[in-house]
Amino acid sequence: MKKLLLLTFAAAVASQFCLAQTNEPADDWKPATSNQPGKQFPQVNSEGRVRARIVAPQAQSVVLEFLGGAKYPLTKGDDGAWIGSTRPQDEGFHYYQLVIDGAGVPDPGSMYFYGGGRWGSGVEIPAEDQDVYALKNVPHGQLRDVFYFSKTSNSNRHCVVYTPPDYDRDTSRRFPVLYLQHGMGEDETGWGNQGHANLIMDNLLAEGKTKPFIIVMENGGGMGGPRRGVAAAGATPAGATNSTPAPGGRGMFNFSAFERVLIDDLIPWVDSTYRTMADQPNRAMAGLSMGGMQTRAITLANLDKFSNIGVFSGGSIALTNITDLAAFKQKIKLVFVSYGSREVDPNRRSDTGRGPFGGDPQANTEALKQAGINSHYYVSPKTAHEWQSWRRSLHQFAPLLFQD
Amino acid sequence: MKKLLLLTFAAAVASQFCLAQTNEPADDWKPATSNQPGKQFPQVNSEGRVRARIVAPQAQSVVLEFLGGAKYPLTKGDDGAWIGSTRPQDEGFHYYQLVIDGAGVPDPGSMYFYGGGRWGSGVEIPAEDQDVYALKNVPHGQLRDVFYFSKTSNSNRHCVVYTPPDYDRDTSRRFPVLYLQHGMGEDETGWGNQGHANLIMDNLLAEGKTKPFIIVMENGGGMGGPRRGVAAAGATPAGATNSTPAPGGRGMFNFSAFERVLIDDLIPWVDSTYRTMADQPNRAMAGLSMGGMQTRAITLANLDKFSNIGVFSGGSIALTNITDLAAFKQKIKLVFVSYGSREVDPNRRSDTGRGPFGGDPQANTEALKQAGINSHYYVSPKTAHEWQSWRRSLHQFAPLLFQD
């Protein structure tokens, strides 16, 4: 008996030891690429862990909290600095904040991004395919901060416009336009700052893999939603770590005000300001999460305005959504639907009881294809309802655009 | 004796009472215009006070701290929120942070700006002349985020380019260029975000008060200084509340690396990318604080490149700085020098023992004028070494540009 106890004890020690060994983070920390210039923290390691540090000598507690809720308490050192690391995170971009004695604040080490209804911290986990959005020595397009006056909202509205590298050099040339929308709790800055849409396009163009086109990013949530500061209660903000979009679909959103801004004000302003190809065959719309829902609702109601459609983590288009299939087949040249794998994995879905709404996106997209519509379905490996899924979606989507 | 004591006591009470009365802030608080969308705090009142609030139930102390050092402790309420207000501040923009139990962090209510060597909080105090940089329903130019490759630094460098409203509509027209530099601890985003250079130009153009020109804003400090995160020790960052620039002049800075980037890489890239008037008469340089010092050093060494010069809160040009007066008179069509009144007020200066370096800027500028050079000296009323001085300087400077 005594021997057995001893063995059990030894096994327990060994198992503890092994646990400690396997839980020890790899000691190859580097400052995150999403940090402010010169800031050493937060750091990331080769396992995708995040290590935060902040000097707060009088604090009682400091916690690193991801948007979506995962919390990691930091530990105070003798130097008055709190430090701690997280479990391995998915590749790509995650919103987070520090909570110091109950106050949720941005990490002074990170750059700031608009998401979750606030400007706040984000951290970049290196990804296998980060070359896709790396800053390279290739011709660069421009991201333009623009104000335009909207009669519908009777206000100056702000948007961001990407023009391809050739735009300023060859002033005789005209370009197609993609209207590209952010998610709930985000704004018109998201696709540039978090999404690196400009770098994705610059790199694709340098490799000759896409046609050049203009991208217009508007604050489509700004009609009364997230632009007021906080995401609507009960719904999941875009980019929440390890979460999926709230069920319900477009019924819980009203996009008619934004539809009017887009159709009556923004498109005419863009077509009169930029050298666009101002017709339906050369106009696309896409968006992520809520922006995908907007895209579905607005394109289906305006087949004479858009010919190419992209819905990223925002549902899909079922045959039953299409009123006039013949008209749709004639006018729509591309339907692209995508999700992060963690959103559509039934095992992951069963954890939360949530998944893509409006039916199985793959089956819906396959049905469109069977009906003769140029349709594509893409799943981003090992990512959730977050920006890495959407960067990859744009990277897959862009080469398919304006091919007809 | 007893009567005297009583009288003294009564006087003391009365004086306390009066003090309390006069110190009571005006109760007309409004969310600062520099806040994040929908955020109620920080607030400002008609006296120019700032009122901050943050929920931090477990904190031991919360302090509002302006860049430059002024500190205002907040007080904890029963609801776990800390709240407090400052003394009246100068009109315009001020950098600040919250210090929670010793941790300096951005206020989650404010927008974030790059200054003092970090992205952090700023607060806008309404100004008498805020109409100058108000967002109006006038034709708007564009602020363009641009990467270009610099052979000198062997890297992709970032700059911000303002193109006037007409730029995209009339593609046959060419424009003069102003190279406009930020201060130490700031970067190429400062003139747009904090300075509202785009809105100042849009409004001046709408009133017909300036010629249209392109503005190029580069990260001139990024050659080894502020872009690494922290301002150089011992020097005063641009925008520090109630402070003046460190003495010493250009001797403490080395601008030769930036000069090479500007002359060899940036100007040729701008002239080949934008529809510029690519000659000396149509090229200007100006800057604030360290950017003013760069302007002085680089223009004096490159009279064949620049014809118009602006130095804001960054010293002045003395006759003794000019090697060849005849050449200078022939080539330089404008010298503009400005300061905030609190920088040049001898009473204020004696508080800190510091003031404009390199001699009296007004006397120096007057001497240039006497020598036959088109010279202007401007003092911004009731402002210090901060952005309101520089917004006003640009507003005064722009109409004088490219008149010859």
Side-chain angles (χ1 to χ4, degrees):
Chain A
M1 183 65 186
K2 200 175 180 183
K3 209 169 182 180
L4 185 64
L5 267 176
L6 203 67
L7 271 173
T8 311
F9 177 73
V13 167
S15 117
Q16 283 284 53
F17 183 75
C18 288
L19 201 67
Q21 285 297 301
T22 53
N23 274 351
E24 195 68 35
D27 193 21
D28 52 4
W29 299 103
K30 287 179 189 150
T33 56
S34 44
N35 283 6
Q36 296 189 24
K39 294 294 173 76
Q40 294 302 305
F41 286 87
Q43 299 182 330
V44 294
N45 75 359
S46 55
E47 301 162 322
R49 296 179 197 264
V50 179
R51 183 161 76 164
R53 178 184 186 273
I54 187 166
V55 176
Q58 286 92 51
Q60 310 301 301
S61 84
V62 179
V63 176
L64 186 164
E65 185 179 290
F66 286 106
L67 182 66
K71 293 180 175 66
Y72 298 91
L74 274 52
T75 309
K76 190 179 174 181
D78 294 336
D79 56 354
W82 295 74
I83 194 161
S85 62
T86 73
R87 295 202 315 185
Q89 303 295 308
D90 286 345
E91 294 188 346
F93 177 91
H94 310 286
Y95 297 110
Y96 77 103
Q97 65 175 356
L98 298 181
V99 183
I100 304 176
D101 285 347
V105 294
D107 183 337
S110 84
M111 294 286 284
Y112 305 126
F113 307 87
Y114 195 74
R118 93 289 183 257
W119 284 95
S121 291
V123 62
E124 186 71 40
I125 310 291
E128 275 186 30
D129 56 336
Q130 62 191 6
D131 195 58
V132 159
Y133 46 86
L135 175 61
K136 300 180 189 174
N137 185 10
V138 298
H140 292 289
Q142 308 189 355
L143 279 179
R144 306 177 178 200
D145 262 310
V146 185
F147 289 105
Y148 74 100
F149 189 79
S150 159
K151 284 182 192 165
T152 303
S153 67
N154 192 32
S155 63
N156 281 290
R157 294 178 63 90
H158 185 250
C159 65
V160 179
V161 176
Y162 169 83
T163 50
D166 289 341
Y167 187 86
D168 281 297
R169 287 175 200 266
D170 180 358
T171 55
S172 64
R173 192 165 170 190
R174 306 188 77 88
F175 297 85
V177 185
L178 165 64
Y179 291 82
L180 185 61
Q181 290 302 124
H182 57 82
M184 190 172 65
E186 297 172 337
D187 70 10
E188 68 277 17
T189 64
W191 269 110
N193 289 348
Q194 292 97 295
H196 300 313
N198 51 329
L199 299 176
I200 291 170
M201 289 302 299
D202 291 346
N203 292 336
L204 281 173
L205 286 164
E207 295 171 18
K209 289 186 177 167
T210 182
K211 283 193 179 175
F213 50 85
I214 294 167
I215 305 180
V216 177
M217 296 156 274
E218 221 269 7
N219 179 21
M223 302 307 300
R227 198 63 177 160
R228 303 232 186 283
V230 182
T236 307
T241 304
N242 299 327
S243 64
T244 48
R250 62 176 289 209
M252 62 186 299
F253 296 97
N254 182 353
F255 302 138
S256 58
F258 176 57
E259 182 180 352
R260 293 274 57 84
V261 168
L262 179 64
I263 303 290
D264 299 340
D265 301 330
L266 182 59
I267 290 177
W269 178 82
V270 167
D271 284 336
S272 70
T273 304
Y274 296 95
R275 297 191 316 278
T276 64
M277 299 164 83
D279 52 5
Q280 189 264 5
N282 290 293
R283 195 179 295 120
M285 184 173 182
L288 71 92
S289 194
M290 181 185 75
M293 303 177 206
Q294 291 174 328
T295 298
R296 189 175 74 158
I298 293 173
T299 55
L300 285 175
N302 295 276
L303 296 182
D304 58 327
K305 298 286 182 196
F306 303 94
S307 55
N308 290 247
I309 302 173
V311 178
F312 312 156
S313 300
S316 53
I317 297 179
L319 278 171
T320 50
N321 297 134
I322 300 169
T323 339
D324 182 343
L325 186 62
F328 190 91
K329 281 177 69 169
Q330 189 214 329
K331 297 192 169 180
I332 300 303
K333 304 303 177 188
L334 172 68
V335 173
F336 177 94
V337 171
S338 69
Y339 269 97
S341 67
R342 305 213 195 285
E343 300 182 272
V344 288
D345 177 348
N347 296 321
R348 291 295 292 252
R349 250 191 287 167
S350 66
D351 293 346
T352 61
R354 295 189 294 193
F357 52 89
D360 181 330
Q362 184 166 19
N364 283 346
T365 310
E366 183 59 33
L368 291 188
K369 190 182 277 183
Q370 293 301 322
I373 297 154
N374 178 27
S375 304
H376 294 256
Y377 181 66
Y378 169 73
V379 174
S380 160
K382 298 180 185 174
T383 60
H385 197 66
E386 294 192 277
W387 275 99
Q388 195 67 8
S389 302
W390 307 324
R391 292 169 177 167
R392 289 174 178 166
S393 295
L394 178 62
H395 183 250
Q396 297 288 324
F397 178 58
L400 305 172
L401 279 173
F402 309 119
Q403 293 302 314
D404 220 36
Chain B
M1 183 65 189
K2 199 175 180 181
K3 209 170 184 175
L4 186 66
L5 269 176
L6 202 68
L7 272 174
T8 310
F9 177 74
V13 167
S15 119
Q16 284 284 51
F17 183 74
C18 287
L19 202 69
Q21 286 297 301
T22 53
N23 276 351
E24 195 66 35
D27 193 21
D28 51 4
W29 299 102
K30 287 179 190 152
T33 56
S34 44
N35 284 5
Q36 295 189 23
K39 295 294 173 75
Q40 293 303 303
F41 286 87
Q43 300 183 328
V44 293
N45 75 359
S46 55
E47 301 161 323
R49 297 179 196 264
V50 179
R51 183 161 77 164
R53 178 184 186 274
I54 188 166
V55 176
Q58 285 92 50
Q60 309 301 301
S61 85
V62 180
V63 176
L64 186 164
E65 185 178 291
F66 286 106
L67 181 65
K71 293 179 174 67
Y72 298 91
L74 273 53
T75 308
K76 190 178 174 182
D78 294 336
D79 54 356
W82 294 74
I83 194 162
S85 62
T86 73
R87 294 203 314 186
Q89 303 295 308
D90 286 344
E91 294 187 346
F93 176 90
H94 310 287
Y95 297 110
Y96 77 102
Q97 65 175 354
L98 297 180
V99 183
I100 303 175
D101 284 346
V105 294
D107 183 338
S110 85
M111 294 288 281
Y112 305 126
F113 307 86
Y114 195 73
R118 94 289 183 256
W119 284 96
S121 291
V123 62
E124 186 70 40
I125 310 291
E128 276 187 30
D129 56 337
Q130 62 191 6
D131 196 57
V132 158
Y133 47 87
L135 175 62
K136 300 179 188 175
N137 185 11
V138 298
H140 292 290
Q142 307 189 357
L143 278 180
R144 305 177 178 200
D145 262 310
V146 184
F147 290 106
Y148 73 100
F149 189 78
S150 159
K151 284 181 192 165
T152 302
S153 68
N154 192 31
S155 64
N156 281 289
R157 294 177 63 89
H158 185 249
C159 65
V160 179
V161 177
Y162 169 83
T163 51
D166 289 341
Y167 186 87
D168 281 298
R169 286 173 201 267
D170 180 359
T171 55
S172 65
R173 194 168 169 189
R174 306 188 77 88
F175 298 85
V177 185
L178 165 64
Y179 291 82
L180 185 61
Q181 290 302 123
H182 56 82
M184 191 172 65
E186 297 173 335
D187 70 9
E188 68 277 18
T189 63
W191 269 108
N193 289 348
Q194 292 97 295
H196 301 314
N198 52 328
L199 299 176
I200 291 171
M201 289 302 300
D202 292 346
N203 292 336
L204 280 173
L205 285 164
E207 295 172 17
K209 290 185 178 167
T210 182
K211 282 193 179 175
F213 50 84
I214 295 167
I215 305 180
V216 177
M217 295 155 277
E218 220 270 5
N219 180 22
M223 301 309 299
R227 197 63 178 163
R228 304 231 187 283
V230 182
T236 307
T241 304
N242 298 328
S243 64
T244 50
R250 62 175 288 205
M252 63 186 298
F253 296 98
N254 181 353
F255 303 138
S256 59
F258 177 56
E259 181 180 352
R260 293 275 56 84
V261 168
L262 179 64
I263 303 289
D264 299 341
D265 301 330
L266 181 60
I267 290 176
W269 177 81
V270 167
D271 285 336
S272 70
T273 304
Y274 296 95
R275 297 192 316 280
T276 64
M277 299 163 83
D279 53 5
Q280 189 263 7
N282 290 292
R283 195 178 296 120
M285 184 172 182
L288 70 91
S289 195
M290 181 185 76
M293 302 177 206
Q294 291 174 329
T295 299
R296 189 176 73 158
I298 294 174
T299 55
L300 285 175
N302 295 275
L303 296 182
D304 58 327
K305 298 286 183 196
F306 303 94
S307 56
N308 290 246
I309 302 173
V311 178
F312 312 157
S313 300
S316 54
I317 297 179
L319 279 173
T320 51
N321 297 134
I322 300 169
T323 338
D324 182 344
L325 185 62
F328 190 90
K329 280 177 70 168
Q330 189 214 330
K331 296 193 168 179
I332 300 303
K333 302 305 176 188
L334 171 69
V335 173
F336 177 95
V337 171
S338 70
Y339 269 96
S341 67
R342 304 212 194 285
E343 300 181 271
V344 288
D345 177 347
N347 296 320
R348 291 295 293 251
R349 251 192 283 169
S350 65
D351 293 347
T352 61
R354 295 191 293 193
F357 52 89
D360 181 330
Q362 185 167 19
N364 283 346
T365 310
E366 182 60 31
L368 292 187
K369 189 182 280 184
Q370 294 300 322
I373 296 154
N374 178 28
S375 305
H376 295 257
Y377 180 65
Y378 169 74
V379 174
S380 159
K382 297 181 185 174
T383 61
H385 196 66
E386 294 192 276
W387 275 99
Q388 195 67 9
S389 301
W390 307 323
R391 293 169 178 166
R392 288 174 178 164
S393 295
L394 178 62
H395 183 250
Q396 297 288 323
F397 178 58
L400 304 172
L401 278 172
F402 309 119
Q403 293 301 313
D404 221 33

